[in-house]
Structure formats: C-alpha cells, structure tokens
Amino acid sequence: QVHLVESGGGLVQAGGSLRLSCAASGRTFSNYGMGWFRQAPGKEREFVARINWNGGNTYYAEAVKGRFTVSRDNAKNTVYLQMNSLKPEDTAVYYCASDRARLTDRTSLSMRVPSTYDYWGQGTQVTVSS
C-alpha cells in the first residue's frame, strides 16, 4: 500500500513563501513521476506542477510558473513544492499524487489529468491573506 503524507501548509501573507513536502512510502519512489494539485472551495481540483521520476524534467501550470518550484529527493522518498510570491488566489488544499505508471513520460495534457495518478495524499491547507 502506498502512502503519501503532505506537510508544510499554513497561513501566510500575500508575497510570502511556503514549502510543502510530500513523504512517500510503499513502492519504489524513484520510479514514479509525482504531481502537485490544488483544490479551492467550490472549484475543481487543478494541476499545479509535476516532476518526472528522476527529477530531470519539471512542468508547471501557467498560474504558478516563475513562482513555484517542484523538486524531489529520491534518497528521502520526498517531493517538495517551494511556493514564493504567494497570492490570495493560491489559497487551496494542496495534494501530492503519484503517477500510476512506472518510468513514464506524460504528455502535457495527460500530466494535468487527475486520473493519471493512482495514489494521493490527504492534502494540506494553504491560506494566503491579502
């Protein structure tokens, strides 16, 4: 059984920074691409960022490009999301997710679809005040 546990969320003022972590267990972490999604109240879950299994490629939603950075430490089975220059519209529950396929590159479209990922964390709340 795969477990993903997010941490690092909280309340921050606009312009501030947070670093989210997602610790994984249950299968060979380094074989799987990892994604970050977020869901604001009343809205659908949306793609934020993705990193491939070896950390060589990263991808971002336009809304966060240049402000957020996704990284991973395969020795620690952990993926990170560094969030800078936060805005009130970044307020949401943030989820990490593991790709359902090993060693697989995804198209720009498929990496943004939640069904590409088979395991999800419980989410961590990020609130940005204006």
Side-chain angles (χ1 to χ4, degrees):
Q1 183 72 12
V2 176
H3 291 283
L4 302 176
V5 180
E6 299 100 335
S7 61
L11 173 64
V12 64
Q13 288 188 334
S17 298
L18 284 174
R19 188 196 196 202
L20 305 184
S21 299
C22 171
S25 62
R27 66 185 180 190
T28 305
F29 177 74
S30 59
N31 284 348
Y32 295 86
M34 297 293 294
W36 284 96
F37 288 73
R38 66 187 182 186
Q39 188 165 18
K43 295 188 176 182
E44 293 188 353
R45 191 167 298 190
E46 66 172 359
F47 171 81
V48 174
R50 174 184 168 94
I51 187 166
N52 76 338
W53 68 91
N54 64 8
N57 291 293
T58 57
Y59 310 88
Y60 300 93
E62 285 299 320
V64 307
K65 197 173 291 184
R67 299 187 297 122
F68 289 12
T69 302
V70 60
S71 62
R72 67 190 297 160
D73 185 339
N74 285 342
K76 295 182 178 180
N77 289 354
T78 302
V79 61
Y80 304 97
L81 186 67
Q82 177 67 43
M83 306 186 295
N84 298 330
S85 302
L86 282 161
K87 304 175 181 180
E89 51 264 44
D90 294 318
T91 295
V93 177
Y94 283 71
Y95 300 89
C96 65
S98 180
D99 197 310
R100 63 178 60 252
R102 297 172 64 249
L103 304 175
T104 299
D105 289 322
R106 295 291 185 179
T107 65
S108 177
L109 178 61
S110 67
M111 70 175 66
R112 289 164 166 77
V113 176
S115 60
T116 293
Y117 305 85
D118 56 354
Y119 290 99
W120 295 78
Q122 81 288 353
T124 186
Q125 177 70 47
V126 171
T127 302
V128 184
S129 62
S130 57

